[in-house]
Amino acid sequence: MKHHGLSEIARRTAEPPIAWLMKLTLDKPGLISLAAGFTDNPSLPVGETAGLLRELLGSPASGPQALQYGSSAGDPLLRQLTAERLQTLDQTPGGETYSPGRVLMTNGSQQLLYLVAECLCDPGDIVLVEDPTYFVFLGTTQTRGLICRGLRIEPDGIDLVHLETTLEELKRQGLLPRLKLLYLVSYFQNPTGATTSFEKKTRALELLKRYERAAGHPIYLLEDAAYRELGFPGVLAPASALAVPGCSGRVIYAGTYSKPYATGVRVGFGILPEPLYTIALRLKGNHDFGTANLLQQLLARALASGAFARHVKGLRERYAAKAAVMVKAVQREFPEKVEWRPPEGGLYLWARLPRRIRSGIQARLFKSAVEREVLYIPGELCYADDAVRPKPNHEMRLSFGGASETNIREGIHRLGAALHDLMD
Ligand SMILES: Cc1ncc(COP(=O)(O)O)c(C=O)c1O
């Protein structure tokens, strides 16, 4: 087969499914997208950011420095404030675990996820993921030639029995030396909204540790906390896996300022144990030798001034209100046989249809939704290719992040009509 001289990695990389969905949105101006993981436009902190930038650039001490290159690891003040904030969220003394020296600033947490895969995994290596999981991470695993095994999830996180049987099976098959990572989207998960309990993180780390001897190397827990700050008012988010006693050497924490502050600022971070920290830093040196200094210094000011904390508080209320609009609309418009849970945070509602109703891109439901000018993320896109089970194809992810309240109501109304057409 002709390959135009492209590298193996280039030939492995397929077009992301979301690119096609985005194009559809642009091609049809009347279309209501409940698909994209966009944040709420009217609540983006435009005024606060303009003020902070004026302060930053208005001073001869900070202005030129903010417009200069920074370091690969990131702005020292932002690293310190990030470490402090995490320690406060985790409510633990923590010591060295939360040292700014373990914080690596990245271009969104997406870059951190990619760097981790680059640090740890060769083609043919195995990664355990939630079933379903964040589909962009599945793109990373595909590009890097990794094999995914899906783990069932429950409302409080992965099914630990399934984790253990999967580890046993890999051991029996002599495949444990290829297992590098367990990837969990642990707060208000994309796509299901589930939050992993602290107890489950603790037990998962214990289990991974038990199989390390047979693996011959550490097996890490990669905790993706992208939605951690977006719990609705009154919802308590558990501590991160960094707070599990004695385990911080096996936890990689991926965090972001995209969702809680501004998706357009796109600064994320990782907390990594050695030797991963040093290796990720070297790789980041090759990627871009540092995240934009201006954006990091803007965030440092937002955190230090209290603007960030105020913004997050408002966002939680805003998303809780938008989720309530979606919940009410779904209650009113969807057939009773559709199963779903009210979200407690994050940006998504996950709906499960009776198995006979397919929701994939080729399905009648999806086509009917597009004809009615409403878009959702077909659940199948969120499942890894895993030879051990067929990919479920009867679910949908609905986002209340980007759409206005009017469009949420109208979008769910259109989708409800498409569902009734097929199901009644
Ligand atoms: C679960 C999850 N992780 C990571 C990211 C990446 O976000 P960012 O790169 O903006 O930090 C996203 C974005 O949607 C996400 O949903």
Side-chain angles (χ1 to χ4, degrees):
M1 187 180 120
K2 249 196 185 166
H3 62 64
H4 307 288
L6 294 173
S7 66
E8 279 180 23
I9 201 170
R11 279 178 280 138
R12 264 200 306 265
T13 303
E15 184 182 29
I18 192 80
W20 180 77
L21 291 173
M22 295 277 200
K23 186 172 171 318
L24 209 60
T25 315
L26 292 176
D27 289 351
K28 282 182 165 254
L31 187 129
I32 294 177
S33 179
L34 304 176
F38 280 27
T39 44
D40 181 57
N41 241 1
S43 46
L44 287 169
V46 177
E48 296 92 318
T49 302
L52 291 166
L53 282 174
R54 252 194 312 278
E55 270 174 43
L56 184 61
L57 298 175
S59 140
S62 58
Q65 202 215 341
L67 294 182
Q68 185 54 271
Y69 275 135
S71 69
S72 293
D75 178 62
L77 178 60
L78 183 58
R79 291 167 72 204
Q80 185 196 323
L81 294 168
T82 299
E84 284 170 11
R85 185 165 176 84
L86 267 189
Q87 190 162 5
T88 309
L89 288 175
D90 277 349
Q91 294 184 321
T92 152
E96 267 308 288
T97 304
Y98 302 87
S99 129
R102 298 176 92 224
V103 180
L104 176 65
M105 302 309 305
T106 51
N107 286 307
S109 50
Q110 191 61 44
Q111 185 183 36
L112 196 270
L113 301 181
Y114 192 89
L115 283 170
V116 169
E118 213 174 18
C119 277
L120 283 173
C121 303
D122 292 310
D125 280 349
I126 301 168
V127 174
L128 304 178
V129 299
E130 290 157 306
D131 234 0
T133 187
Y134 170 44
F135 58 81
V136 183
F137 185 71
L138 294 178
T140 300
T141 61
Q142 186 220 29
T143 282
R144 303 221 49 90
L146 312 184
I147 295 165
C148 290
R149 292 293 308 272
L151 300 175
R152 277 190 300 276
I153 55 175
E154 299 165 338
D156 63 345
I158 45 164
D159 175 344
L160 290 168
V161 174
H162 196 195
L163 171 61
E164 188 165 6
T165 52
T166 305
L167 288 167
E168 251 329 291
E169 198 182 309
L170 292 174
K171 185 175 175 189
R172 239 189 2 259
Q173 295 168 335
L175 289 173
L176 270 186
R178 304 301 316 245
L179 175 64
K180 300 294 178 65
L181 270 181
L182 164 62
Y183 171 66
L184 298 182
V185 183
S186 53
Y187 295 91
F188 316 112
Q189 196 226 22
N190 177 3
T192 64
T195 291
T196 311
S197 67
F198 187 69
E199 167 71 18
K200 280 207 165 166
K201 293 180 207 178
T202 309
R203 292 273 297 113
L205 279 162
E206 281 166 12
L207 274 170
L208 295 180
K209 183 102 191 159
R210 211 191 295 156
Y211 286 82
E212 282 193 357
R213 187 195 286 268
H217 54 67
I219 307 171
Y220 292 95
L221 168 61
L222 170 55
E223 174 163 32
D224 178 341
Y227 299 90
R228 180 174 194 176
E229 307 253 17
L230 298 188
F232 299 158
V235 174
L236 280 182
S240 78
L242 291 169
V244 176
C247 287
S248 69
R250 292 293 184 267
V251 175
I252 305 162
Y253 181 94
T256 184
Y257 290 111
S258 284
K259 310 283 178 188
Y261 190 74
T263 27
V265 172
R266 211 66 210 291
V267 173
F269 59 91
I271 312 267
L272 301 100
E274 287 294 1
L276 295 186
Y277 184 86
T278 301
I279 305 298
L281 184 60
R282 288 180 196 162
L283 288 171
K284 175 147 169 90
N286 290 342
H287 280 228
D288 56 26
F289 56 89
T291 294
N293 212 7
L294 175 66
L295 300 179
Q296 292 187 72
Q297 300 207 8
L298 162 70
L299 281 168
R301 281 190 179 239
L303 283 161
S305 65
F308 178 85
R310 279 193 300 280
H311 183 66
V312 168
K313 186 168 179 291
L315 265 192
R316 288 187 178 138
E317 287 160 10
R318 174 94 184 121
Y319 286 127
K322 292 182 84 173
V325 169
M326 183 172 271
V327 162
K328 238 176 147 178
V330 166
Q331 272 166 343
R332 193 173 54 237
E333 309 280 358
F334 278 18
E336 253 178 35
K337 283 192 176 142
V338 178
E339 291 171 20
W340 53 278
R341 287 171 181 274
E344 299 192 316
L347 302 179
Y348 310 106
L349 183 145
W350 181 249
R352 189 168 287 131
L353 315 174
R355 274 191 183 269
R356 68 183 173 84
I357 307 289
R358 304 197 159 254
S359 61
I361 283 171
Q362 299 302 335
R364 266 170 65 199
L365 175 65
F366 189 79
K367 289 180 182 151
S368 158
V370 172
E371 272 162 28
R372 292 168 202 264
E373 306 214 308
V374 59
L375 211 55
Y376 62 85
I377 295 278
E380 64 173 352
L381 299 182
C382 308
Y383 285 90
D385 289 323
D386 179 345
V388 171
R389 53 110 182 89
K391 239 185 224 196
N393 184 11
H394 63 292
E395 292 156 314
M396 53 171 80
R397 189 194 81 174
L398 301 167
S399 171
F400 46 84
S404 67
E405 296 189 5
T406 310
N407 278 355
I408 291 174
R409 276 187 210 99
E410 176 59 24
I412 296 293
H413 173 70
R414 293 179 190 178
L415 208 48
L419 283 167
H420 277 293
D421 250 15
L422 274 172
M423 290 172 63
D424 289 350

